[in-house]
Amino acid sequence: MRIFVTGASGWIGSAVVPELIDAGHRVLGLARSDASATALAEAGAEVVRGTVDDLDVLREAAAASDGVIHLAFKHDIAFSGDFQGAAEADRRAVDTFGEALAGTDRPFVLASGVAGLAPGRLATERDMPTVDGSPLSVRAATSLAVLDLASHDIRSSVVRLSPTCHGDGDNGFMAALVAVARDKGVSGYVGDGTNRWPAVHRFDAARLFRLAVEKAPAGSVLHGAAEEGVALREVAEVIGRHLGVPATSVAPEAAAEHFGWLGGFVGFDAPVSSALTRDPLDWQPTHPGLLDDLDKGHYFHTPATAG
């Protein structure tokens, strides 16, 4: 298959591209910079220059492909105060792909998230996000729109990723927790630390995207969760051991001050099942779990700032 991948040089995309190529697929990768273009070419992909705002570029690349994996999202503006704008740009890109692929029975795979689906209980692929008009729900509505594309003869699917997609080189939540612990001199967790986050290694996530574009049924919801939930206290204890600082409880009301932008997330209890994903696609995660990955030490090699 000839597969167009947006976000192809990002944290997940840079694992998805070689996963696809190693399986015998050809990859067209969207690149918004010279550095991204060089990285994609070196990985063996064909380069398509542009951004998610270049709708004509997206339309043409999708029409010339046998399938699309949409990983790109404007995280730079989303996390600097304009999540609404990032979500709206994402929706325009998705609508463009829908127009280009309608009536073709070609696959279209969207990357989304599991966070907030069913706080406090085990979320499954049958749980659907709430659309309530908030900026966050704009992205939720986009994922529902992708599932609806199945009615337009598109083999659409949504891969809902764990908030912790870990591995060597990760600059996400785990790296941020390490940076806060290094800065504060304690490795914190909220309350008793029994709240759980699902987790997946980026290479296992990459395999799931390949399987989705190859054989996920139209209208599928897939969960990229290798582990249903890892207690944040256990995470804090591993981080503390590697940094030589104590693991310490932080009161919920002090979370924002202690963790900064992470304060709104670290107290979430959001376990997630992937049972309905594994059997149909024969997806069996094989890479290290979160605690084992932390114990490998690569998160502690280069000091990062708490931000």
Side-chain angles (χ1 to χ4, degrees), residues 49-130:
R49 293 300 299 259
T51 73
V52 291
D53 291 320
D54 297 322
L55 301 184
D56 287 341
V57 172
L58 302 186
R59 185 179 294 107
E60 181 178 345
S65 301
D66 299 311
V68 174
I69 298 177
H70 181 40
L71 304 172
F73 190 75
K74 291 184 168 184
H75 291 100
D76 51 349
I77 69 170
F79 292 116
S80 62
D82 190 15
F83 192 95
Q84 179 92 20
E88 289 175 351
D90 189 50
R91 180 58 183 268
R92 289 191 292 271
V94 163
D95 288 345
T96 298
F97 287 134
E99 294 167 4
L101 297 174
T104 65
D105 289 319
R106 296 175 188 169
F108 175 37
V109 185
L110 173 74
S112 188
V114 297
L117 274 179
R121 69 168 175 82
L122 187 68
T124 77
E125 293 87 341
R126 294 192 177 98
D127 286 303
M128 290 296 148
T130 299

Side-chain angles (χ1 to χ4, degrees), residues 39 44 46 63 93 98 105 146 151 159 170 200 205 208 218 250 276 278:
E46 301 174 46
D105 289 319
V146 169
S151 64
V159 175
D170 175 20
V200 65
L208 180 56
V250 175
L276 300 179
R278 297 188 187 217

Side-chain angles (χ1 to χ4, degrees), residues 16-229:
V16 170
V17 169
E19 174 73 27
L20 292 170
I21 291 174
D22 288 348
H25 301 295
R26 295 171 58 195
V27 174
L28 283 73
L30 185 68
R32 64 177 181 173
S33 69
D34 291 341
S36 294
T38 298
L40 287 174
E42 290 177 349
E46 301 174 46
V47 176
V48 176
R49 293 300 299 259
T51 73
V52 291
D53 291 320
D54 297 322
L55 301 184
D56 287 341
V57 172
L58 302 186
R59 185 179 294 107
E60 181 178 345
S65 301
D66 299 311
V68 174
I69 298 177
H70 181 40
L71 304 172
F73 190 75
K74 291 184 168 184
H75 291 100
D76 51 349
I77 69 170
F79 292 116
S80 62
D82 190 15
F83 192 95
Q84 179 92 20
E88 289 175 351
D90 189 50
R91 180 58 183 268
R92 289 191 292 271
V94 163
D95 288 345
T96 298
F97 287 134
E99 294 167 4
L101 297 174
T104 65
D105 289 319
R106 296 175 188 169
F108 175 37
V109 185
L110 173 74
S112 188
V114 297
L117 274 179
R121 69 168 175 82
L122 187 68
T124 77
E125 293 87 341
R126 294 192 177 98
D127 286 303
M128 290 296 148
T130 299
V131 178
D132 56 12
S134 67
L136 285 173
S137 74
V138 176
R139 198 174 189 193
T142 297
S143 69
L144 296 177
V146 169
L147 297 179
D148 288 341
L149 291 176
S151 64
H152 296 276
D153 294 322
I154 298 173
R155 186 162 60 78
S156 62
S157 61
V158 174
V159 175
R160 300 197 294 213
L161 286 170
S162 301
T164 306
C165 190
H166 56 90
D168 194 355
D170 175 20
N171 286 312
F173 285 126
M174 287 300 108
L177 284 175
V178 170
V180 171
R182 182 177 275 119
D183 180 63
K184 299 289 186 179
V186 298
S187 183
Y189 53 88
V190 174
D192 64 6
T194 58
N195 61 299
R196 300 151 293 174
W197 280 9
V200 65
H201 195 283
R202 68 188 285 249
F203 292 148
D204 287 320
R207 187 183 309 112
L208 180 56
F209 278 102
R210 173 177 64 80
L211 293 172
V213 80
E214 288 176 345
K215 59 184 180 180
S220 297
V221 173
L222 307 170
H223 277 181
E227 296 176 280
E228 290 186 351

Side-chain angles (χ1 to χ4, degrees), residues 244-269:
V245 301
T248 304
S249 174
V250 175
E253 60 270 21
E257 179 182 356
H258 183 88
F259 293 101
W261 66 270
L262 276 169
F265 302 97
V266 290
F268 281 176
D269 184 43

